[in-house]
Amino acid sequence: MQVWFTEDQVPGLRISCQVTKVLHQEKTPFQRLAMLETGVFGRMLTLDDIIQTTERDEFVYHEMIAHVPLSAHPNPRRVLIIGGGDGGTMREVLRHPGVSECHLVEIDERVVAISRQYLPSLASAMDDPRGKVIIADGIKHVKDYRDYYDLVIVDSTDPIGPAVGLFSVEFYSDVFRALKEDGLCVAQTESPFYNTDLVPAIFGRIRASFPITRLYLGVVPTYPGGLWSFTAGSKKYDPSVPVRPAPDGLRYYSPDVHRAAFVLPPYVQQVISPPGPRPVVGP
Amino acid sequence: MQVWFTEDQVPGLRISCQVTKVLHQEKTPFQRLAMLETGVFGRMLTLDDIIQTTERDEFVYHEMIAHVPLSAHPNPRRVLIIGGGDGGTMREVLRHPGVSECHLVEIDERVVAISRQYLPSLASAMDDPRGKVIIADGIKHVKDYRDYYDLVIVDSTDPIGPAVGLFSVEFYSDVFRALKEDGLCVAQTESPFYNTDLVPAIFGRIRASFPITRLYLGVVPTYPGGLWSFTAGSKKYDPSVPVRPAPDGLRYYSPDVHRAAFVLPPYVQQVISPPGPRPVVGP
């Protein structure tokens, strides 16, 4: 018998991956969660039937969402991760010895529990004494902080279900206030090839709060089309310039990759800055 | 009724695309050929059930295989394309007004005929008076030329079927002789994420003939994992440095993208230069 997991990436396009074992599946209060064993990617976490992370290619996403903003800041000490319940982003954040405190605010405690059980290479970072896992709504969490964090990382699912509010103008306005005067934030902002409506919308919402807003790219093989975007909003520092050395042992990130990730093909540049009048940005 | 085309990208991994119309299918003397109409990608050419090119994302592959080597050469005049029967690479080559002669040597005349019929935005370049389509085996063609071409582009299928010989040491030795003393070549060299045996093997075979050998990357959404590699072999010029301006109207290539494409993530660098003794390169 063959068992295949299939994700509808966009209407009319599917990716299918052979599953050697269904390790776990449940319906949490927030979403459908599954942990699959696959031959191609090792263990794979899916939420609402969408691939979130796999053992084989998670390094790309987690290194790029963490080390780009961390390396653009001269001395990041307090970091907030919103989402990221698998622990992979926290693992990368804590590679920086100067980070003294890393809050991870995940709305779904089952993502944390199942990742701890099945993805120890990611989740064991959550045991670090500098890390603190908070099961709460990140949207509310940021409202309670002022001038506190050096870096906020929005490691969210796609903008459906519980993550919708993480793509709003109000949320980024709250993130701005939770950051110190020289802080910055970064969010995963979907595919610039397929999500040509969403990418400029999120970019515009971050730009509405931050004086410096830049898009950068990484290639995550299990995400639709491979090419993936991240958007950085910064109060002071240029996110495209690494000012500190990279930690040892990375597989995707390097200072040269950092700079190159901000070089956008003309078609991607056009997605975020279409010719003609600047669009009105809604909530 | 729904009709889906499915490609087995690697064992245990499939991509599926909904087909609105099967425009053409046949078995040629060399391979199974199909032209499909899809909602996501427009028209799609498949050979032996592998996606070769689609109207929506072909610009990435064709711009990157053509403009990188053309822009690294100060004055390319004679260009040879091996394969590339859809015409997309020739279209990009002929954007450079200094190119006086572009030979396209395609082994399967049916690819040319069907592309002319269904992919005019690519294939109409083959009507340019500077272009010449030659139905022949590229492996034999290069043996007949000495010190003739400024640039050879190997726009081949995967190394199965008729393309196997295009991945051999002997072939690249013949390409070297067909090039002028300052010529260069470039080949599509598969996925550095999935084809971790093949990429270093081809890289090593090109390096066996050329004093300067460099890998570069582009992201083609319909290819496995998105991330795609090209390998340039050069007699004199550094392939990573654009020395001439880009033609107008490009969507993926720019001189900045050119330079950034040679910045390899550490895991890709390791694929082509593993630690330890340099491997012996076989035929």
Side-chain angles (χ1 to χ4, degrees), chain A residues 189 199 203 213-217 229-232 261-262 264 268 272:
Chain A
T189 49
V199 170
F203 188 85
T213 308
R214 297 289 302 272
L215 193 86
Y216 66 95
L217 303 170
S229 77
F230 304 87
T231 302
F262 286 85
L264 305 181
V268 176
I272 55 169

Side-chain angles (χ1 to χ4, degrees), chain B residues 204-227:
Chain B
R205 289 164 201 173
I206 295 177
R207 190 170 54 187
S209 289
F210 286 86
I212 303 166
T213 308
R214 297 289 302 273
L215 194 86
Y216 66 96
L217 303 170
V219 188
V220 185
T222 52
Y223 287 0
L227 193 68

Side-chain angles (χ1 to χ4, degrees), chain B:
Chain B
M1 184 185 75
Q2 288 196 355
V3 177
W4 289 75
F5 163 80
T6 295
E7 172 181 331
D8 289 303
Q9 292 197 319
V10 297
L13 182 69
R14 293 174 178 162
I15 185 174
S16 302
C17 186
Q18 194 169 2
V19 173
T20 51
K21 190 170 185 184
V22 177
L23 296 166
H24 182 83
Q25 56 180 324
E26 69 173 282
K27 183 148 181 8
T28 81
F30 298 97
Q31 50 209 343
R32 289 189 310 283
L33 182 161
M35 185 69 68
L36 309 173
E37 185 80 51
T38 74
V40 182
F41 299 113
R43 289 181 178 174
M44 173 187 280
L45 170 68
T46 69
L47 296 174
D48 288 334
D49 300 324
I50 294 172
I51 298 171
Q52 300 299 312
T53 202
T54 81
E55 285 181 323
R56 185 158 167 211
D57 77 342
E58 57 88 10
F59 67 97
V60 179
Y61 176 88
H62 292 128
E63 289 186 16
M64 288 302 278
I65 204 169
H67 299 304
V68 168
L70 281 162
S71 304
H73 191 293
N75 183 29
R77 299 183 61 77
R78 292 176 182 157
V79 177
L80 168 64
I81 300 164
I82 294 178
D86 55 52
T89 298
M90 182 181 270
R91 180 194 64 202
E92 297 305 318
V93 168
L94 294 175
R95 286 188 199 269
H96 293 254
V99 170
S100 56
E101 185 177 27
C102 182
H103 292 166
L104 188 157
V105 179
E106 166 63 55
I107 201 167
D108 190 342
E109 65 178 333
R110 296 302 298 157
V111 173
V112 174
I114 295 302
S115 297
R116 282 185 184 278
Q117 186 172 354
Y118 292 105
L119 296 173
S121 65
L122 289 75
S124 60
M126 294 190 278
D127 298 326
D128 189 292
R130 295 176 291 154
K132 184 179 179 186
V133 176
I134 301 161
I135 302 301
D137 183 347
I139 295 166
K140 292 180 183 155
H141 180 91
V142 289
K143 288 184 188 294
D144 295 336
Y145 285 78
R146 288 285 184 283
D147 193 31
Y148 189 81
Y149 295 109
D150 297 298
L151 169 61
V152 174
I153 298 176
V154 184
D155 181 5
S156 71
T157 55
D158 298 336
I160 50 171
V164 168
L166 300 176
F167 291 81
S168 70
V169 167
E170 184 186 358
F171 171 68
Y172 282 102
S173 165
D174 291 338
V175 167
F176 186 90
R177 280 192 293 273
L179 285 166
K180 289 188 196 160
E181 63 179 2
D182 62 350
L184 70 164
C185 75
V186 65
Q188 77 83 6
T189 49
E190 307 285 311
S191 161
F193 183 80
Y194 290 114
N195 307 119
T196 51
D197 291 335
L198 196 58
V199 170
I202 308 167
F203 189 86
R205 289 164 201 173
I206 295 177
R207 190 170 54 187
S209 289
F210 286 86
I212 303 166
T213 308
R214 297 289 302 273
L215 194 86
Y216 66 96
L217 303 170
V219 188
V220 185
T222 52
Y223 287 0
L227 193 68
W228 211 248
S229 77
F230 304 86
T231 303
S234 179
K235 294 188 179 187
K236 181 175 176 184
Y237 307 117
D238 181 346
S240 71
V241 179
V243 296
R244 298 187 306 114
D248 290 335
L250 303 187
R251 298 178 60 207
Y252 192 91
Y253 178 91
S254 72
D256 286 341
V257 167
H258 182 142
R259 282 179 283 262
F262 286 84
V263 176
L264 305 181
Y267 91 90
V268 177
Q269 186 62 48
Q270 196 165 330
V271 166
I272 57 170
S273 54
R278 191 161 153 171
V280 176
V281 176

Side-chain angles (χ1 to χ4, degrees), chain A residues 245-262:
Chain A
D248 289 337
L250 303 187
R251 297 178 59 206
Y252 193 90
Y253 178 90
S254 72
D256 286 341
V257 166
H258 182 142
R259 282 179 284 262
F262 286 85

